[in-house]
Amino acid sequence: MVRVAPSALERFCQGVLAAAGADAATAVAATRAMMHGSLFGIDSHGVRLTGHYVKAIEGGRVIGKPHIEVTRTGPAAAVLDGGDGHGAVVTFAAMEAACDMATTAGIAAVAIRRSSHFGAAGAYALAAAEAGFIGIAVCNSDSFMRLHGGAERFHGTNPIAAGVPVAGGKPWLLDMATSAIPYNRVLLYRSLGLPLPDGVASDGAGIDIADPHGVEMLAPLGAAFGHKGAGLAGLVEILSAVLTGMRLSFDIAPMGGPDFSTPRGMGAFVVAIRPDAFIDRDSFDAAMRRYLDRLRGSCTAPGAAVMAPGDREWAEAERRRQDGIPVDPVTIEDFTALAKRLGVPLPVFDRN
C-alpha cells in the first residue's frame, strides 16, 4: 500500500472523470461518493472504482452528461429520471429533492429510475443526516447473492443505508449489504491476495469457499439464519426495482461487463425524514445523545468493545485525513495508465 493525501486524490479522480467525458456535476458527485468509501475504510467502494467508471462513461453505459429530471407525484413523493447517468450524481440529486420535500411535508421519498452503480449507499444517507434529516437509501444490483439454501445467483448485494443527525457529534451511520459481504470486497481480497472469511461466499454449487478467485456467488447475511439477509434483500428489491419499474437483479447486466455500451437501467429509492415533524428537536437530540451515551458505555465481553454504527468509520476517516488514504498496488497501476492516457497528473504517492 501507498498513501495519498485526500485532497490530491480528489483532484485526480475528478480530473480523470472529466477527461473521460463527465460533466462537472458528475465528476464531483462520483468522486464524492468514492472518497466517502476511501475515507471511511470502505475501500471496495472507494477510488479503486475510478477506472471502472471511466470505462463505463467512455463505452456509453453511463452518460457522462445526463439530463436529470424530477417529477413530483405528490406532496411528499417524486420520481427522478437519471437519464442513464452515473449513480452518484443521480442519487445525490434524489436525496436533495427528498430533503427539500421533507422540509414542508415532514417525510418524503424519491423513486429513482435509469440510474447506474452508485457505490457506497452510506454516502447518500450521510448527505441527508448532515443536512439535519434522517436519511435512508437502498439500491438493488445485478444478481450475485444466492438465496438461503440456494445454489444460483438471485439477488444483488442490495445495500441498506441509514443516517441520523446527532447534535454536537458525528451522525449515526449504518451502511450494510444484505449479502454477507459486497462483491467489491471479493475483488479487493483478490487484489490483495487474501483468503475470504468463512461463510461469506460460495462456489457454483452453493458450497462455501475461501478462495476469492473461485467465487461464483455471495452468501446472504445471517450465516445459518441467512433467510433474514435474503428477506432484507427482497425488501430492497421491491423498493428499488418493483416500485420504480426498473430491472430486477437477475435482469441487470453484470457490473463487470463485457457490455459497456448499453445502460443498465438500474433503480434506487431514498427517503428523508425531518425529526421535528414528529417530536420537538430538543427532545429528539436529547434522546439520541442518551441512547448513544448508554450504548457506548454499556458492558462488554472480555477483550471486546461496543460501538454505534459509524463509530469505526468516523475514527478511520480521521486517521486517513491525517495520514493519507491507502491505495493498493493494482489501483496504482490503474491510476498510472489513466494518467498517461488522459493527460491528468498523478497524485503524489507516499511510500513511507
Side-chain angles (χ1 to χ4, degrees):
M1 290 285 188
V2 300
R3 290 188 176 270
V4 183
S7 58
L9 201 53
E10 187 173 12
R11 286 194 300 270
F12 176 75
C13 292
Q14 286 187 18
V16 164
L17 291 168
D23 59 20
T26 296
V28 168
T31 299
R32 178 183 175 187
M34 290 190 292
M35 289 298 294
H36 172 91
S38 287
L39 276 170
F40 279 67
I42 314 168
D43 293 302
S44 57
H45 288 65
V47 295
R48 62 173 295 277
L49 292 171
T50 304
H52 172 81
Y53 290 151
V54 166
K55 188 174 183 179
I57 292 170
E58 291 182 335
R61 168 188 278 187
V62 170
I63 304 303
K65 301 175 181 179
H67 173 69
I68 298 173
E69 185 175 358
V70 179
T71 302
R72 291 281 291 268
T73 58
V79 175
L80 183 146
D81 187 320
D84 296 316
H86 190 283
V89 71
V90 170
T91 311
F92 278 128
M95 186 59 85
E96 183 178 357
C99 291
D100 286 345
M101 289 188 291
T103 299
T104 54
I107 183 171
V110 177
I112 299 170
R113 297 172 51 84
R114 295 177 64 207
S115 184
S116 63
H117 186 264
F118 70 14
Y124 315 104
L126 178 59
E130 290 180 332
F133 299 84
I134 296 173
I136 301 170
V138 299
C139 181
N140 73 329
S141 56
D142 53 299
S143 293
F144 208 85
M145 178 172 66
R146 61 174 174 82
L147 296 170
H148 183 55
E152 66 171 298
R153 299 180 183 184
F154 192 81
H155 289 128
T157 54
N158 293 19
I160 299 172
V164 181
V166 176
K170 301 295 188 183
W172 181 97
L173 182 61
L174 171 71
D175 185 356
M176 53 171 275
T178 53
S179 57
I181 56 172
Y183 177 56
N184 275 322
R185 190 69 52 81
V186 174
L187 298 181
L188 180 63
Y189 273 69
R190 286 181 186 174
S191 67
L192 297 176
L194 297 174
L196 293 168
D198 293 336
V200 301
S202 308
D203 62 16
I207 306 301
D208 287 351
I209 188 172
D211 180 3
H213 295 279
V215 169
E216 290 294 330
M217 63 193 80
L218 302 175
L221 183 69
F225 301 95
H227 59 280
K228 297 181 179 182
L232 288 172
L235 174 61
V236 173
E237 195 81 16
I238 292 165
L239 293 174
S240 302
V242 176
L243 195 58
T244 65
M246 291 289 95
R247 293 171 179 166
L248 295 161
S249 287
F250 42 77
D251 295 324
I252 297 173
M255 180 177 174
D259 181 3
F260 277 84
S261 63
T262 305
R264 299 171 79 200
M266 295 175 66
F269 196 78
V270 299
V271 179
I273 302 169
R274 179 167 54 85
D276 56 3
F278 303 92
I279 185 173
D280 69 272
R281 193 59 185 246
D282 288 343
S283 295
F284 173 81
D285 291 340
M288 280 299 298
R289 284 196 299 269
R290 182 169 182 271
Y291 168 64
L292 292 173
D293 287 346
R294 181 68 181 85
L295 185 157
R296 292 173 178 135
S298 62
C299 297
T300 63
V306 294
M307 290 179 282
D311 283 357
R312 186 191 304 275
E313 289 79 7
W314 286 116
E316 183 64 22
E318 182 60 29
R319 283 191 292 270
R320 292 185 176 203
R321 286 190 179 97
Q322 294 181 4
D323 301 337
I325 292 174
V327 182
D328 66 271
V330 173
T331 301
I332 292 170
E333 291 182 9
D334 195 23
F335 279 5
T336 303
L338 288 170
K340 181 178 181 180
R341 182 167 68 82
L342 297 173
V344 178
L346 272 171
V348 175
F349 298 137
D350 182 358
R351 299 179 183 274
N352 295 324

